[in-house]
Amino acid sequence: MPDLYPTRGATEVVTPRQDPVVWGPSTGLESYEQDGFLTVDQLLADDEVGFYRRELDRLIADPAVRADERAITEPQSGAVRSVFEVHRISEIFAGLVRDERVVGTARRILGSDVYVHQSRINVKPGFGASGFYWHSDFETWHAEDGLANMRTVSVSIALTENHDTNGGLMIMPGSHRDFLGCAGATPQDNYKKSLQMQDAGTPSDEALTKMADRHGIRLFTGRAGSATWFDCNCMHGSGDNITPYPRSNVFIVFNSVENAAVEPFAAPIRRPEFIGARDFTPVR
């Protein structure tokens, strides 16, 4: 299979996007096509937020979940940072994945049936939870998981309020139109380090400065229950949370069944299936 998006070579390289942004009818998705993201002020009602928040709290307090390899902890404090494959661990979150407000939007954007490439709950407690440096998810999913085309969409559903101070999501609008192939080979078992702190697949300061100058930076705030859909190639990141106020969310990645993962394009081995799924069963 040809590699449309070379990355992890000797130097950074910019490749114009070779794929559509919206694969189905674009009516109602014009801002997503233009900017690479779509915000929904209230995807979940207050009682639904409470329901999913209680399940998040239950999971991160469960010693069996904490001991599972799918639970990722903070490097310094040891607190739970993320729990992956949450739609398989929890029937409650599996129900959210199947919710038509969620999976239906993914089908509209991607123009096909979809499967879950990755799911997780993110826990960003106050007083020092670390952020995540600037990156394109597709760069990693292409290099290390074998997704050939940009036919993947993520949704971040807030379970706590997103302030402008507690480490919220930042995106460069329009950055999804060009693919930034990063420099440097992928280390063996890179995922073990990258889930705590991004290293391989990190853009240079020079490239990020050019992108920020061109596109600007949008910081997402909003009430619990709000959601942000964003394209797999958006340049995005988040800062540390040193406030007293936690920022927790559910994060679901939908991939088209017509874009099922093949072998990695720039890594020695596949990542584990709880990070990059190899079960391509459509969500029903």
Side-chain angles (χ1 to χ4, degrees):
M1 177 176 290
D3 184 356
L4 300 178
Y5 300 104
T7 189
R8 311 280 173 103
T11 59
E12 284 184 324
V13 58
V14 176
T15 303
R17 188 187 185 106
Q18 306 294 302
D19 296 304
V21 177
V22 176
W23 291 74
S26 60
T27 304
L29 295 170
E30 293 85 358
S31 65
Y32 179 90
E33 188 162 34
Q34 175 179 322
D35 295 329
F37 58 81
L38 174 70
T39 57
V40 178
D41 290 338
Q42 188 174 12
L43 182 72
L44 302 180
D46 290 346
D47 60 334
E48 294 176 297
V49 170
F51 178 64
Y52 292 116
R53 179 63 187 274
R54 287 190 293 274
E55 179 66 354
L56 180 149
D57 291 341
R58 183 190 73 80
L59 289 172
I60 64 174
D62 185 339
V65 171
R66 184 183 178 85
D68 194 293
E69 66 172 344
R70 291 171 288 187
I72 310 301
T73 56
E74 290 283 348
Q76 301 301 322
S77 68
V80 173
R81 176 190 180 104
S82 302
V83 179
F84 280 79
E85 214 172 41
V86 72
H87 71 295
R88 295 194 183 279
I89 294 175
S90 164
E91 182 54 40
I92 287 176
F93 284 117
L96 180 61
V97 166
R98 296 190 298 266
D99 190 312
E100 190 60 26
R101 294 170 296 178
V102 178
V103 69
T105 300
R107 293 191 193 107
R108 285 178 58 213
I109 291 170
L110 301 180
S112 69
D113 279 334
V114 298
Y115 71 92
V116 176
H117 177 70
Q118 186 186 105
S119 74
R120 65 181 187 263
I121 48 174
N122 292 324
V123 185
K124 207 170 193 179
F127 301 114
S130 54
F132 225 87
Y133 199 67
W134 291 104
H135 65 286
S136 155
D137 286 329
F138 181 74
E139 194 279 335
T140 297
W141 299 338
H142 181 70
E144 300 186 42
D145 295 340
L147 298 191
N149 295 99
M150 295 180 182
R151 200 170 180 179
T152 315
V153 62
S154 302
V155 60
S156 175
I157 305 171
L159 298 182
T160 54
E161 186 168 354
N162 289 306
H163 303 284
D164 59 2
T165 53
N166 66 340
L169 174 68
M170 296 182 287
I171 292 179
M172 298 185 187
S175 58
H176 62 305
R177 294 288 185 179
D178 291 302
F179 175 74
L180 180 63
C182 297
T186 307
Q188 190 84 12
D189 288 340
N190 178 57
Y191 78 94
K192 293 181 179 178
K193 181 179 179 182
S194 68
L195 294 180
Q196 292 184 324
M197 185 173 293
Q198 189 83 358
D199 188 8
T202 302
S204 69
D205 292 352
E206 294 77 11
L208 287 170
T209 300
K210 288 179 181 177
M211 294 182 79
D213 286 346
R214 179 180 179 186
H215 299 293
I217 297 172
R218 166 80 183 272
L219 170 65
F220 292 88
T221 59
R223 56 172 292 173
S226 62
T228 302
W229 294 87
F230 61 100
D231 180 82
C232 59
N233 191 44
C234 283
M235 189 62 65
H236 66 288
S238 64
D240 295 349
N241 181 15
I242 61 171
T243 76
Y245 310 112
R247 176 182 171 263
S248 300
N249 68 303
V250 187
F251 188 81
I252 307 163
V253 180
F254 293 102
N255 189 37
S256 169
V257 295
E258 299 172 12
N259 189 42
V262 294
E263 291 306 308
F265 285 87
I269 59 171
R270 301 174 180 179
R271 297 196 297 174
E273 291 196 25
F274 71 85
I275 304 172
R278 295 281 162 172
D279 179 352
F280 311 132
T281 306
V283 176
R284 297 286 188 233

